Amino acid sequence: MTARGERTPSVEHGDHAGRESARGAPGAATPLLVLWDIDGTLIDNGGVSKEAYALTFNRLTGRPPEHPIVPAGRTDPAVLRMMLRQHGIEATPDVMKQAVDVLNRVFESLMSRLAERGHVKLGAQSAIAALAGRGDVVQSVLTGNTRHNAQVKVSVFGLAGALDYEVGAYGSDTEVRAGLVPVARTKATAKYGISFPPAPTVLIGDTPRDIKAGRASGAFAVGVATGEYGVEELAAVGADAVLPDLRDSSAVVGAVLGARRDRPGRPTDETG
């Protein structure tokens, strides 16, 4: 499936494209590790994620949730934990494992609904393709979704081509979003045999939590106003670059390459 009015560009398979990017030219600088948020940044899930949380809670407890579901950039496990606690249910490790397993099954069952109600953000496929054409970039995802649910979403909307999901960071890796950037760097280092320090890591997201997660880990944070937050709101929480959307691929590439520039006085100890 493609974005409304947008054709799917021809891109290499993610793993192969990632290997070529990481290889680079002899003596070249460390490749940029570009980590895309999914919901609100690359896609609009059409409310299916909230529906999946509600169905999961219902299957676990036999009753619908009584409180509003507010993901707001939280990881899948963190949302489930919050829902359980709001209803007086202890989120023990066994309960959490069961909840995540149920959520994964529920989300898979909602694939057709996701395809029907959701859509790719305009410019997302072209932006990914533009970065994939460079030899100094490795692209993956950093998302609060579990790895299973992230792959469901990208497969439904045809975004898998140039993204290396093996080095992505997911809500199933850690519940704390600010801890996901180091997870991705560790995976990328292990796969490619190249050290990916904080500075050449770029996080692209649409919420203040995304920006704060990038800043907390020393990454270069690019905000895109493709979700609920505007350009000014993303700039106010410290985004290094902010774009109104992804429709200008050249602007996206330019913002990402901003990570190559020195950032004097860059704080790295903020919490996300």
Side-chain angles (χ1 to χ4, degrees), residues 56-144:
T56 296
F57 185 84
N58 193 302
R59 292 188 185 181
L60 286 170
T61 66
R63 57 191 171 106
E66 300 171 5
H67 301 277
I69 300 170
V70 186
R74 296 180 176 87
T75 62
D76 279 350
V79 173
L80 294 172
R81 186 181 297 277
M82 178 180 66
M83 292 176 68
L84 291 168
R85 288 177 172 171
Q86 284 177 331
H87 294 81
I89 301 170
E90 186 178 0
T92 65
D94 286 344
V95 169
M96 285 300 300
K97 182 181 184 307
Q98 182 183 7
V100 170
D101 288 345
V102 171
L103 178 65
N104 288 345
R105 293 196 298 272
V106 165
F107 218 96
E108 192 163 346
S109 73
L110 296 176
M111 286 179 69
S112 60
R113 197 168 304 179
L114 178 63
E116 184 179 301
R117 286 168 40 184
H119 62 271
V120 180
K121 293 291 185 177
L122 288 174
Q125 292 164 320
S126 298
I128 291 172
L131 288 168
R134 301 185 58 88
D136 58 350
V137 169
V138 173
Q139 291 186 89
S140 190
V141 295
L142 186 144
T143 174

Side-chain angles (χ1 to χ4, degrees), residues 12 14 29 42 58 91 100 113 127 176 191 196-197 199 222 248 253 265 268:
E12 295 177 279
L42 292 177
N58 193 302
V100 170
R113 197 168 304 179
V176 181
K191 177 170 182 176
F196 287 87
V222 177
D248 186 341
V253 172
T268 58

